[in-house]
mmCIF file with all atom_site columns, all heavy atoms in Angstrom:
data_model
loop_
_atom_site.group_PDB
_atom_site.id
_atom_site.type_symbol
_atom_site.label_atom_id
_atom_site.label_alt_id
_atom_site.label_comp_id
_atom_site.label_asym_id
_atom_site.label_entity_id
_atom_site.label_seq_id
_atom_site.pdbx_PDB_ins_code
_atom_site.Cartn_x
_atom_site.Cartn_y
_atom_site.Cartn_z
_atom_site.occupancy
_atom_site.B_iso_or_equiv
_atom_site.pdbx_formal_charge
_atom_site.auth_seq_id
_atom_site.auth_comp_id
_atom_site.auth_asym_id
_atom_site.auth_atom_id
_atom_site.pdbx_PDB_model_num
ATOM 1  N N   . GLN A 1 298 ? -14.121 11.125 33.262 1.00 0.00 ? 311 GLN A N   1
ATOM 2  C CA  . GLN A 1 298 ? -14.417 11.493 34.657 1.00 0.00 ? 311 GLN A CA  1
ATOM 3  C C   . GLN A 1 298 ? -15.545 10.647 35.268 1.00 0.00 ? 311 GLN A C   1
ATOM 4  O O   . GLN A 1 298 ? -15.383 10.069 36.346 1.00 0.00 ? 311 GLN A O   1
ATOM 5  C CB  . GLN A 1 298 ? -14.775 12.960 34.736 1.00 0.00 ? 311 GLN A CB  1
ATOM 6  C CG  . GLN A 1 298 ? -13.818 13.770 35.591 1.00 0.00 ? 311 GLN A CG  1
ATOM 7  C CD  . GLN A 1 298 ? -14.040 15.252 35.377 1.00 0.00 ? 311 GLN A CD  1
ATOM 8  O OE1 . GLN A 1 298 ? -15.190 15.709 35.263 1.00 0.00 ? 311 GLN A OE1 1
ATOM 9  N NE2 . GLN A 1 298 ? -12.958 15.993 35.288 1.00 0.00 ? 311 GLN A NE2 1
ATOM 10 N N   . PRO A 1 299 ? -16.703 10.551 34.584 1.00 0.00 ? 312 PRO A N   1
ATOM 11 C CA  . PRO A 1 299 ? -17.789 9.759  35.166 1.00 0.00 ? 312 PRO A CA  1
ATOM 12 C C   . PRO A 1 299 ? -17.453 8.269  35.258 1.00 0.00 ? 312 PRO A C   1
ATOM 13 O O   . PRO A 1 299 ? -17.971 7.565  36.118 1.00 0.00 ? 312 PRO A O   1
ATOM 14 C CB  . PRO A 1 299 ? -18.955 9.958  34.183 1.00 0.00 ? 312 PRO A CB  1
ATOM 15 C CG  . PRO A 1 299 ? -18.567 11.102 33.304 1.00 0.00 ? 312 PRO A CG  1
ATOM 16 C CD  . PRO A 1 299 ? -17.080 11.182 33.303 1.00 0.00 ? 312 PRO A CD  1
ATOM 17 N N   . VAL A 1 300 ? -16.559 7.818  34.380 1.00 0.00 ? 313 VAL A N   1
ATOM 18 C CA  . VAL A 1 300 ? -16.165 6.399  34.394 1.00 0.00 ? 313 VAL A CA  1
ATOM 19 C C   . VAL A 1 300 ? -15.347 6.111  35.660 1.00 0.00 ? 313 VAL A C   1
ATOM 20 O O   . VAL A 1 300 ? -15.595 5.135  36.378 1.00 0.00 ? 313 VAL A O   1
ATOM 21 C CB  . VAL A 1 300 ? -15.319 6.059  33.139 1.00 0.00 ? 313 VAL A CB  1
ATOM 22 C CG1 . VAL A 1 300 ? -15.069 4.567  33.056 1.00 0.00 ? 313 VAL A CG1 1
ATOM 23 C CG2 . VAL A 1 300 ? -15.981 6.580  31.876 1.00 0.00 ? 313 VAL A CG2 1
ATOM 24 N N   . LEU A 1 301 ? -14.389 6.984  35.924 1.00 0.00 ? 314 LEU A N   1
ATOM 25 C CA  . LEU A 1 301 ? -13.553 6.814  37.122 1.00 0.00 ? 314 LEU A CA  1
ATOM 26 C C   . LEU A 1 301 ? -14.402 6.877  38.385 1.00 0.00 ? 314 LEU A C   1
ATOM 27 O O   . LEU A 1 301 ? -14.219 6.086  39.318 1.00 0.00 ? 314 LEU A O   1
ATOM 28 C CB  . LEU A 1 301 ? -12.468 7.898  37.163 1.00 0.00 ? 314 LEU A CB  1
ATOM 29 C CG  . LEU A 1 301 ? -11.342 7.745  36.139 1.00 0.00 ? 314 LEU A CG  1
ATOM 30 C CD1 . LEU A 1 301 ? -10.580 9.053  35.958 1.00 0.00 ? 314 LEU A CD1 1
ATOM 31 C CD2 . LEU A 1 301 ? -10.377 6.637  36.565 1.00 0.00 ? 314 LEU A CD2 1
ATOM 32 N N   . GLN A 1 302 ? -15.336 7.814  38.399 1.00 0.00 ? 315 GLN A N   1
ATOM 33 C CA  . GLN A 1 302 ? -16.227 7.961  39.568 1.00 0.00 ? 315 GLN A CA  1
ATOM 34 C C   . GLN A 1 302 ? -17.038 6.690  39.798 1.00 0.00 ? 315 GLN A C   1
ATOM 35 O O   . GLN A 1 302 ? -17.218 6.245  40.925 1.00 0.00 ? 315 GLN A O   1
ATOM 36 C CB  . GLN A 1 302 ? -17.185 9.148  39.372 1.00 0.00 ? 315 GLN A CB  1
ATOM 37 C CG  . GLN A 1 302 ? -16.542 10.509 39.591 1.00 0.00 ? 315 GLN A CG  1
ATOM 38 C CD  . GLN A 1 302 ? -15.781 10.600 40.911 1.00 0.00 ? 315 GLN A CD  1
ATOM 39 O OE1 . GLN A 1 302 ? -16.234 10.093 41.933 1.00 0.00 ? 315 GLN A OE1 1
ATOM 40 N NE2 . GLN A 1 302 ? -14.597 11.212 40.887 1.00 0.00 ? 315 GLN A NE2 1
ATOM 41 N N   . ALA A 1 303 ? -17.521 6.094  38.717 1.00 0.00 ? 316 ALA A N   1
ATOM 42 C CA  . ALA A 1 303 ? -18.344 4.882  38.845 1.00 0.00 ? 316 ALA A CA  1
ATOM 43 C C   . ALA A 1 303 ? -17.488 3.671  39.201 1.00 0.00 ? 316 ALA A C   1
ATOM 44 O O   . ALA A 1 303 ? -17.916 2.785  39.930 1.00 0.00 ? 316 ALA A O   1
ATOM 45 C CB  . ALA A 1 303 ? -19.094 4.629  37.530 1.00 0.00 ? 316 ALA A CB  1
ATOM 46 N N   . TRP A 1 304 ? -16.258 3.645  38.709 1.00 0.00 ? 317 TRP A N   1
ATOM 47 C CA  . TRP A 1 304 ? -15.398 2.468  38.876 1.00 0.00 ? 317 TRP A CA  1
ATOM 48 C C   . TRP A 1 304 ? -14.826 2.351  40.290 1.00 0.00 ? 317 TRP A C   1
ATOM 49 O O   . TRP A 1 304 ? -14.950 1.305  40.939 1.00 0.00 ? 317 TRP A O   1
ATOM 50 C CB  . TRP A 1 304 ? -14.271 2.508  37.841 1.00 0.00 ? 317 TRP A CB  1
ATOM 51 C CG  . TRP A 1 304 ? -13.335 1.343  37.874 1.00 0.00 ? 317 TRP A CG  1
ATOM 52 C CD1 . TRP A 1 304 ? -13.673 0.011  37.839 1.00 0.00 ? 317 TRP A CD1 1
ATOM 53 C CD2 . TRP A 1 304 ? -11.903 1.396  37.952 1.00 0.00 ? 317 TRP A CD2 1
ATOM 54 N NE1 . TRP A 1 304 ? -12.535 -0.768 37.878 1.00 0.00 ? 317 TRP A NE1 1
ATOM 55 C CE2 . TRP A 1 304 ? -11.434 0.061  37.949 1.00 0.00 ? 317 TRP A CE2 1
ATOM 56 C CE3 . TRP A 1 304 ? -10.966 2.434  38.020 1.00 0.00 ? 317 TRP A CE3 1
ATOM 57 C CZ2 . TRP A 1 304 ? -10.071 -0.258 38.006 1.00 0.00 ? 317 TRP A CZ2 1
ATOM 58 C CZ3 . TRP A 1 304 ? -9.608  2.122  38.065 1.00 0.00 ? 317 TRP A CZ3 1
ATOM 59 C CH2 . TRP A 1 304 ? -9.176  0.784  38.064 1.00 0.00 ? 317 TRP A CH2 1
ATOM 60 N N   . GLN A 1 305 ? -14.163 3.390  40.772 1.00 0.00 ? 318 GLN A N   1
ATOM 61 C CA  . GLN A 1 305 ? -13.540 3.410  42.106 1.00 0.00 ? 318 GLN A CA  1
ATOM 62 C C   . GLN A 1 305 ? -12.562 2.251  42.318 1.00 0.00 ? 318 GLN A C   1
ATOM 63 O O   . GLN A 1 305 ? -12.324 1.826  43.458 1.00 0.00 ? 318 GLN A O   1
ATOM 64 C CB  . GLN A 1 305 ? -14.625 3.360  43.203 1.00 0.00 ? 318 GLN A CB  1
ATOM 65 C CG  . GLN A 1 305 ? -15.615 4.499  43.187 1.00 0.00 ? 318 GLN A CG  1
ATOM 66 C CD  . GLN A 1 305 ? -15.044 5.824  43.711 1.00 0.00 ? 318 GLN A CD  1
ATOM 67 O OE1 . GLN A 1 305 ? -14.252 5.832  44.657 1.00 0.00 ? 318 GLN A OE1 1
ATOM 68 N NE2 . GLN A 1 305 ? -15.406 6.934  43.091 1.00 0.00 ? 318 GLN A NE2 1
ATOM 69 N N   . GLY A 1 306 ? -12.050 1.695  41.234 1.00 0.00 ? 319 GLY A N   1
ATOM 70 C CA  . GLY A 1 306 ? -11.059 0.615  41.356 1.00 0.00 ? 319 GLY A CA  1
ATOM 71 C C   . GLY A 1 306 ? -11.651 -0.733 41.746 1.00 0.00 ? 319 GLY A C   1
ATOM 72 O O   . GLY A 1 306 ? -10.912 -1.676 42.012 1.00 0.00 ? 319 GLY A O   1
ATOM 73 N N   . GLN A 1 307 ? -12.972 -0.852 41.780 1.00 0.00 ? 320 GLN A N   1
ATOM 74 C CA  . GLN A 1 307 ? -13.622 -2.095 42.224 1.00 0.00 ? 320 GLN A CA  1
ATOM 75 C C   . GLN A 1 307 ? -14.163 -2.894 41.027 1.00 0.00 ? 320 GLN A C   1
ATOM 76 O O   . GLN A 1 307 ? -14.995 -2.372 40.277 1.00 0.00 ? 320 GLN A O   1
ATOM 77 C CB  . GLN A 1 307 ? -14.805 -1.782 43.156 1.00 0.00 ? 320 GLN A CB  1
ATOM 78 C CG  . GLN A 1 307 ? -14.461 -0.932 44.377 1.00 0.00 ? 320 GLN A CG  1
ATOM 79 C CD  . GLN A 1 307 ? -13.402 -1.581 45.252 1.00 0.00 ? 320 GLN A CD  1
ATOM 80 O OE1 . GLN A 1 307 ? -13.395 -2.796 45.445 1.00 0.00 ? 320 GLN A OE1 1
ATOM 81 N NE2 . GLN A 1 307 ? -12.473 -0.776 45.745 1.00 0.00 ? 320 GLN A NE2 1
ATOM 82 N N   . PRO A 1 308 ? -13.705 -4.132 40.877 1.00 0.00 ? 321 PRO A N   1
ATOM 83 C CA  . PRO A 1 308 ? -14.165 -4.933 39.725 1.00 0.00 ? 321 PRO A CA  1
ATOM 84 C C   . PRO A 1 308 ? -15.687 -5.025 39.641 1.00 0.00 ? 321 PRO A C   1
ATOM 85 O O   . PRO A 1 308 ? -16.253 -5.048 38.543 1.00 0.00 ? 321 PRO A O   1
ATOM 86 C CB  . PRO A 1 308 ? -13.562 -6.317 39.980 1.00 0.00 ? 321 PRO A CB  1
ATOM 87 C CG  . PRO A 1 308 ? -12.434 -6.088 40.922 1.00 0.00 ? 321 PRO A CG  1
ATOM 88 C CD  . PRO A 1 308 ? -12.735 -4.853 41.714 1.00 0.00 ? 321 PRO A CD  1
#
Side-chain angles (χ1 to χ4, degrees):
Q311 242 167 40
V313 188
L314 288 162
Q315 283 309 320
W317 182 52
Q318 300 285 323
Q320 304 301 321

